[in-house]
């Protein structure tokens, strides 16, 4: 029988009523003739409660025990979902990570999936089981301990099952009805996309469009899993939501797929750095070791053997960056006059696979911002993305201006 | 190293603070040089919440899914306890039932323990682990599904571990500080017993002194596990609580160890039953099939080929008993004029291994009740117990009179 993977997040299974609603969605697919693997998260709030207890008990906790505790929420939902399906006369059973077994690395609290054997579960499908309800976010280490995959790990679980079982599609049910050209709270012209390429989704996800976890999209891209994002709170049909798929599956698309933003960016400038071969490594090596996620980097033209080096990083990592730079300066590894941090900036990006074959996209972006009198502080580009750092107060205006300029409201 | 098993019930681990208090108790034993296996229940209220969800989802639930859901509470406590011990620099880790693995039958929701392999855990003790924190109440079936042992199964888990690992003692921490000669709420002369024999404890437990689950006492008796019941809310030393042990370990004891009572008994009389060989089987067979737990049975002297048959059963099973009897009468299997149910009775029992070697104990009991003007409705006796059914309004008076008569306040 054809197989579907369906994933329901915490808000979609946040109460017995919501579990029932999700079960009805599953029932629709079973009625169509699909066998279904359902991945469930913990009921909303449960994982946070468990994490809170662990942190209160042991701030520098043993991650193996953290995993043993926080994985329990998903087990509860999986059992309740199986019971709900059984009440609808659908043969279903729950599977905890170790029962599959979903094998992972030993990197507790942030494990990576290594293997999902399909024999056990396929045997049960062969015996008449129609729905396997799998507790998401968890697996088992080579040492036989419970592991978790890190936040959002249920999305990754879903995609990994879809890949292992060669599912026809992986439907991610969430509290939004798809991926939009931009945040509808910022632009009322935002339009839901019917399809988006994996590469575009990756850029949008990592830029703050928090619909899907980045890892799950990477995994889907690697294994060619067709991902669909859709709402568990609305009526759905075959064409609901947004399909995240390979570029080849998208016949025609706009040059720009969407406008993303992030308000948690800070701009840090090292003023008058002694310019010499290896200076970039001397700066960004220590930052990396200090756990600072550097995103954009700009180096000014050198003058009299000195230059300004500017980079962006998440706002809450600025203090760590300053400490790392001061330490390197004290050690004599680098030399600069001043470190200036500007936390009042935002990052705006346009993303689209169509950029590859279209010239002038970046120029159009800069023109649109200029027309609104918005000054650009830093620029970076990639094959399918152009990002700029601007004053945060212009963030909404910039998103709206770019959405208009690229006519994203039109399909 | 010598090994102890310590078990903490739901109220003893009902909050992070209480888990910390229990961990301190464990630390005391570790400091004395013991390796410790700790059995924990779910935080108080958690299991009831989970059971409620299961019942609401599926009244006639699949017991395999019930077990998968309700076992999760213990997993949370086990992880939190391991973390708390680690914070005290005690090498500890949690074990879920399937990790041990604690092997059980497939009788879901009421499984029996079949085997506890000791190799895995002993290897960890060998590597320096001082405390193994085991999630109580749960195991794994031959099919690889999670099982639970039924209510109070954490006591049974504790005793089974003590037997498998040949522990020096099994300490059951609970919200009372030991086993009393009778309920202190009824008699202010009630005295805590230092020691009690397994057989006595079994009679007291099944009679309503709900300190230990009957199954756990049976198991302890079979394997000679020394059980100690003590409070997790008081300071303890070597002599705290009550030791439940083999008869041989008790040098001298009172003839009567305690007075137990049960107010949930009903007396049912079948009036004028046609007396013939096999009549008892014709009555009590159908009652057993209907799930009625018959306790005491009295048959009057036969007169003119007819007799009265009286039995006691829990009050909430009277309706079921009446239905079963009516059905047998309608089928022509038995014949009686009337069925009279008296739900206004109580059962009072005196229990003591000393009765075996002392005559006149029953007579002293009847005399004490007679002196208070209390009429006895039904009597049963065993080697170490005498039970009577009386009007419920005299229950407290009877308990006090018997406690006085046998001078149970004196050690």
């Amino acid at each position: 029988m054809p197989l579907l993977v369906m994933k329901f997040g915490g808000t979609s299974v946040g109460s017995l009523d919501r579990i029932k609603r999700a079960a009805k969605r599953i029932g629709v697919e079973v009625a169509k003739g699909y066998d279904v693997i359902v991945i469930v998260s913990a009921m909303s709030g449960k994982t946070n409660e468990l994490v809170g207890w662990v942190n209160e008990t042991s701030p520098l906790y043993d991650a193996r025990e953290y995993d043993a505790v926080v994985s329990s929420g998903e087990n509860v939902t999986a059992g309740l979902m199986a019971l709900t399906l059984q009440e609808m006369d659908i043969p279903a059973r729950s599977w905890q990570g170790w029962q599959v077994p979903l094998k992972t690395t030993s990197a507790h609290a942030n494990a990576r999936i290594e293997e999902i054997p399909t024999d056990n579960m396929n045997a049960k499908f062969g015996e008449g089981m129609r729905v396997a309800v799998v507790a998401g976010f968890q697996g088992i280490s080579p040492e036989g301990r419970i592991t978790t995959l890190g936040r959002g790990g249920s999305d990754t679980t879903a995609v990994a099952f879809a890949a292992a079982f060669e599912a026809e599609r992986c439907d991610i049910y969430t509290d939004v009805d798809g991926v939009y050209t931009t945040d509808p709270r910022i632009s009322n012209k935002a339009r839901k996309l019917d399809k988006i390429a994996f590469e575009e989704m990756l850029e949008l996800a990592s830029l703050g469009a928090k619909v899907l976890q980045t890892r799950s999209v990477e995994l889907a891209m690697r294994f060619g899993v067709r991902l669909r994002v859709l709402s568990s709170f609305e009526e759905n049909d075959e064409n609901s939501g947004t399909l995240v798929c390979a570029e080849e599956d998208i016949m025609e698309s706009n040059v720009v797929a969407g406008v993303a933003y992030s308000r948690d960016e800070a701009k840090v400038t090292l003023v008058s750095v002694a310019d010499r071969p290896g200076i970039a490594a001397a700066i960004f090596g220590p930052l990396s070791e200090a756990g600072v996620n550097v995103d954009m980097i700009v180096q000014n033209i050198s003058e009299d053997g000195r230059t300004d080096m500017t980079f962006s990083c998440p706002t809450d990592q600025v203090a760590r960056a300053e400490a790392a730079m001061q330490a390197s300066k004290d050690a004599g590894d680098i030399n600069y006059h001043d470190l200036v941090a500007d936390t009042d900036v935002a990052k705006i990006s346009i993303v689209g696979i169509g950029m590859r074959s279209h010239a002038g996209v970046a120029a159009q972006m800069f023109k649109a911002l200029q027309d609104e009198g918005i000054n650009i502080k830093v620029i970076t580009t990639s094959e399918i993305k152009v990002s700029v750092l601007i004053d945060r107060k212009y963030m909404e205006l910039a998103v709206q201006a770019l959405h208009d300029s690229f006519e994203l409201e039109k399909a």
Side-chain angles (χ1 to χ4, degrees), chain A residues 94-214:
Chain A
S94 68
W95 300 75
Q96 299 187 2
W98 61 271
Q99 289 177 316
V100 174
L102 188 151
K103 299 180 185 172
T104 73
T105 61
S106 302
H108 282 275
N110 198 26
R112 299 194 79 87
I113 298 172
E114 302 235 288
E115 192 196 347
I116 302 180
T118 56
D119 294 358
N120 288 348
M121 202 172 275
N122 273 334
K124 292 290 170 191
F125 277 123
E127 290 168 19
M129 175 180 73
R130 296 299 306 280
V131 182
V133 186
V134 177
F137 172 65
Q138 60 178 252
I140 181 171
S141 75
E143 295 79 27
R145 302 293 297 266
I146 293 169
T147 54
T148 65
L149 309 177
R151 276 301 169 116
S154 289
D155 285 348
T156 309
T157 307
V159 173
F161 268 90
F165 285 83
E166 297 175 359
E168 193 170 303
R169 205 176 58 237
C170 179
D171 285 349
I172 308 283
Y173 284 82
T174 176
D175 47 5
V176 298
D177 65 350
V179 182
Y180 278 74
T181 50
T182 195
D183 188 337
R185 288 169 301 182
I186 289 188
S187 168
N188 56 14
K189 294 183 187 165
R191 178 176 55 85
K192 184 174 75 65
L193 294 161
D194 291 331
K195 289 183 176 183
I196 187 169
F198 290 125
E199 293 86 346
E200 292 171 333
M201 190 66 212
L202 275 176
E203 294 290 1
L204 289 171
S206 61
L207 288 170
K210 289 161 188 163
V211 182
L212 280 174
Q213 205 210 13
T214 306

Side-chain angles (χ1 to χ4, degrees), chain A residues 359-372:
Chain A
V361 176
Q364 184 179 343
M365 179 186 196
F366 305 152
K367 175 74 167 51
L369 295 173
Q370 180 196 331
D371 286 350
E372 300 292 343

Side-chain angles (χ1 to χ4, degrees), chain A residues 18-76:
Chain A
R18 288 187 173 185
I19 290 174
K20 208 172 277 178
R21 178 149 48 175
K24 279 186 192 146
R25 281 291 318 142
I26 298 164
V28 169
E29 303 296 353
V30 170
K32 284 183 201 159
Y34 285 107
D35 279 345
V36 182
I37 297 174
V38 175
I39 314 295
V40 289
S41 299
M43 292 163 88
S44 49
K46 285 290 161 188
T47 302
N48 284 340
E49 181 185 55
L50 295 169
V51 169
W53 286 344
V54 168
N55 280 319
E56 197 181 329
T57 300
S58 178
L60 298 169
Y61 51 73
D62 176 349
R64 294 167 297 191
E65 300 300 343
Y66 169 95
D67 283 352
V69 172
V70 303
S71 60
S72 68
E74 278 73 12
N75 295 344
V76 172

Side-chain angles (χ1 to χ4, degrees), chain A residues 4 7 23 33 45 51 66 71 92 107 121 131 138 146 167 190 193 219 231 245 253 308 311-312 317 322 355 359 373:
Chain A
L4 269 193
K7 182 256 170 179
V51 169
Y66 169 95
S71 60
M121 202 172 275
V131 182
Q138 60 178 252
I146 293 169
L193 294 161
L219 201 63
S231 167
C245 57
S253 68
D308 294 341
F311 61 88
S312 72
Q317 297 180 359
E322 285 185 289
M355 287 186 203

Side-chain angles (χ1 to χ4, degrees), chain A residues 384-399:
Chain A
I384 65 163
K385 180 183 71 167
V386 183
S387 298
V388 297
L389 224 53
I390 61 173
D391 276 335
R392 190 176 303 160
K393 64 181 171 185
Y394 295 125
M395 192 182 82
E396 287 83 358
L397 177 60
V399 169

